[in-house]
């Protein structure tokens, strides 16, 4: 080896050793917070949205967040982390803590699956009711909401002797009827999973006496749902990638479907299509805050899109705080909130 080549090799070795000696053992990377903004499409939205309000990131580092629910008695917010089989609690001034585990799968762990709870709702008596993906049932927690324990009773887990796919979201009618959706997302292989027993993905109504009825079998991926303030209309999000729609079902006096129509359909969208129709909530004036591509879409009761709240993340669901002062959102591995106009 020539002398100059030897010197080059020795110099490279010295540099390599120096770099190795100064390199930290662990490298912490700070994740960039998602960019967000509010888009007003119609001035009607200004009754609820303040364009100067910030979309706050109030928690991060989760796996996949869903099922937001605000608990007025205690003034805090709970949400599911589905893959982690946990429900978390967030409270102003206290931050985030584990609220309940296990939340959706009470059997052996199911790695790499959507095993936890999904949608969360309070029944008319104030009990926590959970859409349990892992156990494939609608269940009620028997412990008090403000003293949670993983103790559950099954409300319903089968239709005509066949197990549900994985109940996803739910809403109560003032008369105590429970409406819920049952897509296949909680099954490891989804709609192709061999454990799937039903040949459809339904929207159901469970009466307090245990009577279970199917409202529709026509949606491939029924997802979030909500009732109008007068309980005359049920809205259901369809998350089929080939056809993004929100459906409106008019209910008859018995609580079953009287008529149906497409409430809103996404014919084309020039954004990144980060997300799909998923969860939704309806405010006291009948305006629908529905998660869609890139955030939350705001519709008026006539089905007109009047605003979008961009979160910068795939947004699964949302919930109002007491008095509709804040909109809380579950967004991938984040939780966020937006202050609303009262």
């Amino acid at each position: 080896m020539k002398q100059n080549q030897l010197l080059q090799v020795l110099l490279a070795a010295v540099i390599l050793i120096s770099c190795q000696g100064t390199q930290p053992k662990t490298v912490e990377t700070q994740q960039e917070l998602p960019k967000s903004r509010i888009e007003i499409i119609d001035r009607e939205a200004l009754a609820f949205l303040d364009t100067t309000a910030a979309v706050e990131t109030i928690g991060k580092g989760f796996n996949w967040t869903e099922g937001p629910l605000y608990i007025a008695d205690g003034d805090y917010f709970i949400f599911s982390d589905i893959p982690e089989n946990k429900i978390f609690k967030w409270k102003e001034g206290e931050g985030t803590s584990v609220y309940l585990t296990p939340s959706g799968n009470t059997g052996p762990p199911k790695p790499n699956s959507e095993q936890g709870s999904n949608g969360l709702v309070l029944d008319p008596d104030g009990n926590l009711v959970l859409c349990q993906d892992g156990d494939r049932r609608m269940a009620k927690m028997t412990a008090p909401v403000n003293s949670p324990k993983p103790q559950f009773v099954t409300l319903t887990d089968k239709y005509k002797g066949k197990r549900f796919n994985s109940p996803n979201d739910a809403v109560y009618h003032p008369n105590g009827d429970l409406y819920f959706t049952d897509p296949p997302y909680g099954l490891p292989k989804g709609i192709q999973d061999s454990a799937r027993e039903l040949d459809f993905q339904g929207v159901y109504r469970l009466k307090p006496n245990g009577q279970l009825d199917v409202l529709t079998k026509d949606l491939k991926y029924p997802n979030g749902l909500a009732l109008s303030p007068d309980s005359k209309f049920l809205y259901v999000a369809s998350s089929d990638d080939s056809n993004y729609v929100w459906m409106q079902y008019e209910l008859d006096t018995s609580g079953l479907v009287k008529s149906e129509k497409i409430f809103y359909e996404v014919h084309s969208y020039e954004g990144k299509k980060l997300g799909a129709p998923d969860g939704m909530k309806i405010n006291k004036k009948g305006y629908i805050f529905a998660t869609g591509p890139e955030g939350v879409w705001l519709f008026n009761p006539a089905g007109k899109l009047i605003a979008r709240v961009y979160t910068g993340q795939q947004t699964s669901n949302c919930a109002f705080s007491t008095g509709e002062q804040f909109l809380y959102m579950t967004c991938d591995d984040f939780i966020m909130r937006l202050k609303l106009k009262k």
Side-chain angles (χ1 to χ4, degrees):
M1 181 180 292
K2 294 182 179 180
Q3 186 176 8
N4 62 341
Q5 290 178 323
L6 178 61
L7 289 173
Q8 289 175 359
V9 171
L10 291 173
L11 179 61
V14 169
I15 293 173
L16 178 60
I17 293 170
S18 176
C19 291
Q20 288 176 338
T22 59
Q23 186 173 349
K25 294 181 180 179
T26 59
V27 179
E28 294 184 2
T29 58
Q30 185 174 4
Q31 186 173 5
E32 182 182 353
L33 294 179
K35 297 178 181 179
S36 59
R37 63 186 175 91
I38 297 172
E39 177 189 15
I40 301 298
I41 299 170
D42 189 289
R43 291 186 60 83
E44 187 177 358
L46 294 175
F48 310 103
L49 298 178
D50 181 351
T51 56
T52 66
V55 178
E56 302 175 78
T57 297
I58 58 175
K60 63 180 181 178
F62 306 101
N63 196 323
W64 173 248
T65 59
E66 250 286 10
L69 175 65
Y70 205 85
I71 307 297
D73 181 14
D75 199 28
Y76 58 90
F77 155 66
I78 62 174
F79 58 95
S80 301
D81 189 332
I82 301 177
E84 299 301 317
N85 200 17
K86 294 177 181 179
I87 295 174
F88 286 91
K89 170 185 175 180
W90 182 90
K91 185 175 175 65
E92 187 80 55
E94 298 180 6
T96 306
S97 58
V98 175
Y99 174 84
L100 183 69
T101 184
S103 65
N105 173 34
T106 57
K110 300 177 180 180
N112 303 317
S113 70
E114 295 192 14
Q115 63 180 331
S117 59
N118 199 318
L120 307 172
V121 65
L122 297 180
D123 71 12
D125 296 323
N127 300 301
L128 181 63
V129 171
L130 310 88
C131 299
Q132 293 189 319
D133 280 0
D135 288 347
R136 299 169 67 177
R137 63 177 177 172
M138 294 300 305
K140 179 176 70 174
M141 184 176 72
T142 57
V145 168
N146 287 334
S147 183
K149 294 180 178 61
Q151 301 168 353
F152 311 104
V153 294
T154 300
L155 298 179
T156 182
D157 61 354
K158 296 181 180 70
Y159 176 70
K160 293 186 176 180
K162 295 183 178 181
R163 296 184 70 189
F164 294 134
N165 301 306
S166 56
N168 183 278
D169 205 358
V171 62
Y172 268 97
H173 190 285
N175 67 7
D177 289 354
L178 176 63
Y179 292 86
F180 65 95
T181 56
D182 184 40
Y185 296 126
L187 299 175
K189 296 182 180 180
I191 205 166
Q192 303 299 329
D193 201 286
S194 60
R196 186 166 162 259
E197 298 182 15
L198 294 164
D199 60 0
F200 65 92
Q201 293 71 243
V203 180
Y204 296 88
R205 190 274 306 270
L206 177 68
K207 294 185 70 63
N209 64 7
Q211 177 183 329
L212 181 67
D213 301 290
V214 177
L215 273 69
T216 180
K217 300 179 180 180
D218 295 337
L219 301 179
K220 186 176 181 181
Y221 293 104
N223 206 321
L225 77 173
L227 278 168
S228 61
D230 59 9
S231 300
K232 291 182 179 180
F233 297 98
L234 179 71
Y235 298 86
V236 180
S238 173
S239 299
D240 190 342
D241 285 340
S242 63
N243 190 27
Y244 285 178
V245 299
W246 288 268
M247 296 295 298
Q248 181 191 73
Y249 298 93
E250 183 181 6
L251 302 180
D252 60 23
T253 55
S254 67
L256 299 178
V257 173
K258 179 180 179 181
S259 64
E260 65 180 72
K261 70 174 185 179
I262 292 176
F263 180 73
Y264 191 87
E265 185 172 8
V266 181
H267 295 287
S268 63
Y269 182 66
E270 295 179 355
K272 298 179 181 178
K273 281 204 171 183
L274 183 64
D278 200 330
M280 69 179 85
K281 295 296 184 295
I282 300 180
N283 72 5
K284 57 189 175 185
K285 293 186 178 179
Y287 286 76
I288 300 174
F289 290 71
T291 59
E294 298 188 86
V296 176
W297 295 30
L298 176 55
F299 301 101
N300 71 10
K304 181 180 181 180
L305 178 64
I306 60 174
R308 293 188 184 97
V309 177
Y310 293 90
T311 63
Q313 295 290 321
Q314 187 169 342
T315 304
S316 63
N317 211 332
C318 59
F320 298 112
S321 67
T322 304
E324 299 178 356
Q325 181 181 7
F326 287 97
L327 180 71
Y328 286 84
M329 297 165 283
T330 46
C331 310
D332 199 344
D333 55 335
F334 295 89
I335 52 172
M336 302 181 185
R337 73 172 180 178
L338 174 67
K339 189 172 184 178
L340 302 174
K341 290 182 181 178
K342 293 184 180 181

